[in-house]
Amino acid sequence: HCKFQCYVKVIANYLDRGRVVGVHYLGPNAGEVLQGFAAAMRCGITKAELDSVTGIHPVCAEEVVTLRRTKRSGAVFRKTGC
């Protein structure tokens, strides 16, 4: 279990195949976490491809690949477990 908390948001353009156009991350080791996602974005990663990645556990960076709620769903954004 990660002893730190992090906040993360992935921004995808659903008009462009769900291409990821931004990642916001507030947490430990932000530079290292975002560097890999920046490279993936340069390669045109989509939200579906990001969802297929297996996250390394237990680290805060795994939160990026486990995001399943969308803003348009109206769901509550509350972490329920690791």
Side-chain angles (χ1 to χ4, degrees):
H1 175 60
C2 183
K3 66 179 180 176
F4 302 104
Q5 289 187 352
C6 67
Y7 300 91
V8 65
K9 175 171 65 173
V10 172
I11 303 164
N13 182 353
Y14 284 99
L15 299 176
D16 185 12
R17 305 176 297 104
R19 186 173 54 88
V20 175
V21 295
V23 176
H24 296 183
Y25 175 87
L26 176 62
N29 305 311
E32 287 85 358
V33 170
L34 289 177
Q35 184 66 35
F37 291 106
M41 288 170 48
R42 291 279 311 226
C43 294
I45 194 167
T46 66
K47 180 65 170 88
E49 291 167 332
L50 191 61
D51 289 345
S52 71
V53 173
T54 301
I56 300 168
H57 182 74
V59 296
C60 289
E62 77 178 304
E63 299 300 328
V64 177
V65 298
T66 61
L67 294 173
R68 298 294 182 260
R69 293 185 181 109
T70 64
K71 184 176 180 181
R72 91 175 72 147
S73 75
V76 176
F77 292 92
R78 184 172 299 122
K79 181 74 174 160
T80 57
C82 62

